[in-house]
């Protein structure tokens, strides 16, 4: 898959087959982001927006929840820049870099702090999304983006 364009996506973890999911679709600050079986809910829809100049080789994006259909109304972050740190919902904007893999998947790396920290689902038994140190070839750190729709026009 080419680098995602602005739009609404499902984001699936390659290793566990679980979707990036806003637990209980709750926008409460600090709500855990989890891996969850595909259920087609809005809690598994994410607004992806490029955050770089057109034509730039950078692959920096924001990923926001799509609940309420507002073209994104919150992001995810961690409390600390450390491996094994849970990823939670926040109203602050955090940027991530997508690193393309040969098999049309991506590694999601935070742009601030330690560039070696990437998004991961440790296992089906521990489906809390976390950041961890990058491991070459680890499928638990690889994500597929499935396009769902364009962004909605902004109206006054």
């Amino acid at each position: 898959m080419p680098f995602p364009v602005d739009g609404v996506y499902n984001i699936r973890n390659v290793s566990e087959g679980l979707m990036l999911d806003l637990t209980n679709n709750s926008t409460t600050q600090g709500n855990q982001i989890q891996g969850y079986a595909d259920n087609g809910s809005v809690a598994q829809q994410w607004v992806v927006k490029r955050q770089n100049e057109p034509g730039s080789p950078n692959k920096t994006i924001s990923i926001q929840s799509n609940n309420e259909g507002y073209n994104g109304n919150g992001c995810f972050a961690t409390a600390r820049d450390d491996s094994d740190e849970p990823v939670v919902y926040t109203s602050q904007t955090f940027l991530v870099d997508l690193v393309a893999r040969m098999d049309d998947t991506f590694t999601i790396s935070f742009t601030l702090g330690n560039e070696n920290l990437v998004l991961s689902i440790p296992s089906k038994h521990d489906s809390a999304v976390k950041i961890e140190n990058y491991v070459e070839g680890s499928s638990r750190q690889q994500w597929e983006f499935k396009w769902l729709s364009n962004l909605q026009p902004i109206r006054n």
Side-chain angles (χ1 to χ4, degrees):
M1 169 186 188
F3 181 71
V5 297
D6 289 0
V8 179
Y9 290 81
N10 287 132
I11 304 173
R12 187 181 78 84
N13 181 265
V14 173
S15 176
E16 304 306 329
L18 300 174
M19 307 300 281
L20 194 64
D21 184 281
L22 181 60
T23 304
N24 297 321
N25 197 33
S26 171
T27 56
T28 301
Q29 197 86 336
N31 183 31
Q32 176 70 54
I33 305 297
Q34 66 181 351
Y36 199 81
D38 187 355
N39 61 19
S41 75
V42 71
Q44 297 177 347
Q45 295 178 8
W46 299 91
V47 173
V48 172
K49 295 179 185 174
R50 286 179 170 240
Q51 300 295 327
N52 52 305
E53 296 293 324
S56 168
N58 294 338
K59 306 298 187 209
T60 302
I61 62 169
S62 62
I63 300 176
Q64 299 170 282
S65 68
N66 191 44
N67 63 339
E68 307 297 332
Y70 295 134
N71 283 343
N73 78 349
C75 299
F76 50 78
T78 59
R80 295 179 304 150
D81 184 15
D82 199 7
S83 185
D84 203 38
E85 187 69 20
V87 176
V88 297
Y89 179 88
T90 180
S91 58
Q92 300 172 353
T93 300
F94 281 81
L95 302 179
V96 295
D97 284 335
L98 294 185
V99 179
R101 303 288 163 214
M102 297 300 292
D103 58 358
D104 291 336
T105 65
F106 295 90
T107 299
I108 301 172
S109 172
F110 281 82
T111 59
L112 298 175
N114 184 345
E115 66 185 35
N116 193 45
L117 293 174
V118 298
L119 229 55
S120 173
I121 296 180
S123 72
K124 282 192 182 197
H125 303 293
D126 182 8
S127 62
V129 175
K130 297 182 178 183
I131 56 171
E132 65 181 19
N133 290 313
Y134 175 73
V135 176
E136 179 72 34
S138 173
S139 61
R140 72 177 181 266
Q141 298 174 345
Q142 293 174 302
W143 301 86
E144 294 176 332
F145 285 69
K146 178 184 173 195
W147 183 86
L148 299 173
S149 68
N150 290 321
L151 297 180
Q152 299 300 314
I154 298 174
R155 298 189 178 126
N156 293 333

